[in-house]
Amino acid sequence: MTGAEFLETTRTAYDARAAEYSALFRDYLADKPLDRAVIDTFADLVRAADAGPIADLGCGPGHYTAYLHARGPAFGIDLSPRMIELARLEHPGIAFETGSMSALDLADGGVGGVFSHHSIIHTPPERLPEVFDEFARVLAPGGRLLLSFSATDDPAQPAEPYDHAVTPAYRWSTDLISGMLRERGVVETARVVFPGEQDERRGFPRVFLLAAKDVAGKDVAGQDAGPPRR
Ligand SMILES: C[S@@+](CC[C@H](N)C(=O)[O-])C[C@H]1O[C@@H](n2cnc3c(N)ncnc32)[C@H](O)[C@@H]1O
């Protein structure tokens, strides 16, 4: 796939299956207390930083946007017009717009949080830098990122394509992702890894990576774990 062809392929594929996707994942968080705890922590940190709303990028039908919006201002952006149509229908009162994570119509430093749940998985590895450039650009200093994706079995193992039910996808090296973000001033503060057997979808490890946009050069790594035990 060349150029931005993957965007058209992804958009068309999700347009075709938006209703099915929405029904399938509407209650996904209901029996996942640890997922909710991670997302709640992220929402708390964004609120504490008081640097702007949360942008849910690749929001799909908006289920996560609504969960976040119940905890503070949040809005959603997705490539698929059909997903956005469903999100608006199901969650009136929350702003949803079509757009690509690789070219966001958002001001520099305009958001206090970026949430991206299993949306980078369809971006070919050579196009991922554009997406992370945008995440770093739109995050305000002190802003927070919560990124979720399917990971390779070893955190250092490179990106790997896999068959996805909707459209081609990649699972990622957690260390590679963390390094790419750090290069852009968005520093990992914590990661939560669900081992393969707990990812009911495919048996791949599932990762939540929490990061903070550098605050005036301060190194925030490890900050979200709290002070070390003595
Ligand atoms: C696996 S779904 C996840 C949806 C939602 N985040 C969730 O977890 O329920 C992936 C979503 O990412 C969107 N997406 C993929 N690439 C995108 C891009 N470059 N910009 C915006 N949205 C994108 C797709 O349209 C799709 O809705």
Side-chain angles (χ1 to χ4, degrees):
M1 225 175 278
T2 56
E5 220 179 287
F6 74 96
L7 289 177
E8 191 47 41
T9 304
T10 306
R11 181 185 293 119
T12 308
Y14 274 101
D15 269 353
R17 301 187 67 172
E20 181 192 346
Y21 185 96
S22 177
L24 200 59
F25 293 110
R26 182 169 290 110
D27 299 320
Y28 188 71
L29 278 177
D31 62 350
K32 296 197 172 42
L34 187 49
D35 287 52
R36 292 199 304 274
V38 173
I39 298 170
D40 289 351
T41 300
F42 164 71
D44 286 351
L45 290 165
V46 173
R47 218 177 24 248
D50 194 23
I54 294 174
D56 180 1
L57 303 178
C59 64
H63 305 325
Y64 286 86
T65 328
Y67 186 87
L68 291 164
H69 192 263
R71 287 151 183 80
F75 61 94
I77 294 177
D78 198 277
L79 202 54
S80 155
R82 183 69 187 127
M83 282 290 199
I84 291 299
E85 206 178 306
L86 286 179
R88 286 175 179 157
L89 273 175
E90 293 197 27
H91 309 290
I94 302 180
F96 292 99
E97 297 295 337
T98 52
S100 175
M101 302 186 289
S102 51
L104 290 164
D105 188 13
L106 296 174
D108 295 0
V111 301
V114 164
F115 177 81
S116 175
H117 190 264
H118 282 263
S119 338
I120 61 162
I121 59 172
H122 302 299
T123 301
E126 69 277 12
R127 306 302 294 261
L128 199 58
E130 295 161 37
V131 171
F132 288 168
D133 283 349
E134 283 296 80
F135 286 5
R137 181 183 69 76
V138 302
L139 266 178
R144 300 285 174 154
L145 168 71
L146 183 56
L147 188 62
S148 173
F149 52 91
S150 293
T152 48
D153 297 316
D154 177 327
Q157 190 188 337
E160 200 176 88
Y162 68 89
D163 285 333
H164 183 275
V166 181
T167 189
Y170 303 82
R171 54 182 181 141
W172 300 97
S173 155
T174 309
D175 290 346
L176 173 86
I177 297 281
S178 180
M180 288 176 75
L181 292 168
R182 177 178 274 271
E183 280 168 14
R184 290 162 174 79
V186 181
V187 180
E188 177 180 349
T189 56
R191 67 175 74 171
V192 176
V193 182
F194 295 85
E197 64 271 20
Q198 287 183 33
D199 179 346
E200 71 284 3
R201 291 194 239 182
R202 262 168 233 100
F204 296 159
R206 190 163 65 84
V207 170
F208 274 113
L209 197 72
L210 192 57
K213 174 122 175 225
D214 231 338
V215 188
K218 188 175 146 211
D219 192 346
V220 293
Q223 192 187 75
D224 294 335
R229 244 175 222 271
R230 304 212 184 270

